[in-house]
Amino acid sequence: MSLTSPSPPLRELTRNQVCWIGGGYISMFSSLAGQTVFIALFGAAIRQDFSLSAGQYGMIYTAATLCSAILLVWAGTLADRIPARLLGAGAALGAALMCLAMSFAPNILVLAIALFGLRFFGQGMLTHNAATALSRWFNRFRGRALAISQLGLNTGEAILPVLVALGIAAMGWRNVWLLAAGFLALVLVPAILTLFANTPEGTRGRGAAANPDAAAADQNATGWTRRQVLSDPLFWPVLIGLLAMPAISTAIFFHQTDLVADKGWGLLTFAAFFPVMSASSVLSSIASGWLTDRFGAYRILPLLLVPALLAYVLIASTSAFWAIPLFFLLSGLTNGANGTVMNALWAELYGTTYLGAIRAIATSAMVLSSAIGPGIVGLFLDGGVSVARQAPFFAAYCGVASITFFALQTHLGRRRDSHTVI
């Protein structure tokens, strides 16, 4: 097989394909309600309101996220059976209801339930449904379609942190959640219903229909079942390596109030540099989408975590002000590529027939890792170990994962080309 894959220009996209990508973009933006980068902005206010320590709040968050990860193992298979428009709109509406619950939470129990729902509907089902839908309906454009949809998440990361910080200061944290609930229900749910109304081939089909992007031969036509994937010796080391960003990045941003206090930076100053991460994420996402369509997602893996590794070394080694934008720049390079590469990789290696069920395992593991990270880091914080002192271990994880990805290159290439079990 040739080193390169067909990579036609975006002008060949049909109107329905553009709408489908737009549905992915809006879904990813909607998922911000359940993403750590958004929830963490309320951390200090929530801990003060409910009299929680960093470790206590982290363990509640961990338990809520863990429960959502377990439910996703089953719920993620719905992407193979329910149309993307209904599943996506339902998930966005669920996220809106959980925002409402956060706004009126009278006690820790309701807080925990709301956090569970936000993680399940937001980080879990909204991203899972969008990535599955785009991976299934695109072949030659898969990497770029996923990259463009990922920009919805980047957009939210760029504009929401400062807006939320200002909103909390102006009207209180509970009213910000109330506004988020209204925006989700009244604006984003209808948008998802509209953009996902027709599949890219122009019919109202079910999510499991055949890939219409058939101008290039679909070498993934014979898909692996979830049971076959779980017994594949390549799946687990790749998955464990890809969990570095969900686990570590989630933990850092969840405990960002402790990080900035330890560094002496100030939360609003720190939040003001989120657009740097968003900008680098956008560039990285677009570049990784093009490279995925051109060379294959598996070829990008060895370099994927290198910028994150450097970011964690930076956090461990300096408290200088200039480290803030550089940290966001490096984090964005990996964050932007991570979603595109990971989502394309499963379709690339295992086909699209049972993609929802396969991605359900990967998404559940991602959510699980994002549950474990804040809890563990929070416990160390309670024990007096700062985020900066934990950062060398984060860097080591990324280094080992990168070496593993490099060592598996030949086997992954064979799997992509032949789909034979080794």
Side-chain angles (χ1 to χ4, degrees), residues 40-41 43-44 47 252-262 267:
L41 295 166
R47 282 163 52 185
I252 289 177
F253 288 114
F254 183 80
H255 293 290
Q256 62 184 277
T257 53
D258 296 273
L259 173 63
V260 298
D262 178 57
L267 182 59

Side-chain angles (χ1 to χ4, degrees), residues 120-136:
F120 173 73
F121 290 116
Q123 187 198 30
M125 289 305 296
L126 274 166
T127 59
H128 172 70
N129 180 65
T132 301
L134 268 65
S135 295
R136 171 171 287 129

Side-chain angles (χ1 to χ4, degrees), residues 15 28 38 41 46 69 98 109 111 121 131 133 144 151 177 211 216 241 271 287 300 304 329 333 341 366 387:
R15 181 178 181 276
M28 290 295 185
F38 183 78
L41 295 166
I46 290 174
M98 293 303 106
L109 177 60
L111 173 69
F121 290 116
R144 285 165 293 173
L151 299 184
W177 280 111
N211 191 333
I300 306 174
L304 184 63
L329 174 68
L333 291 177
V341 173
M366 178 194 71
V387 173

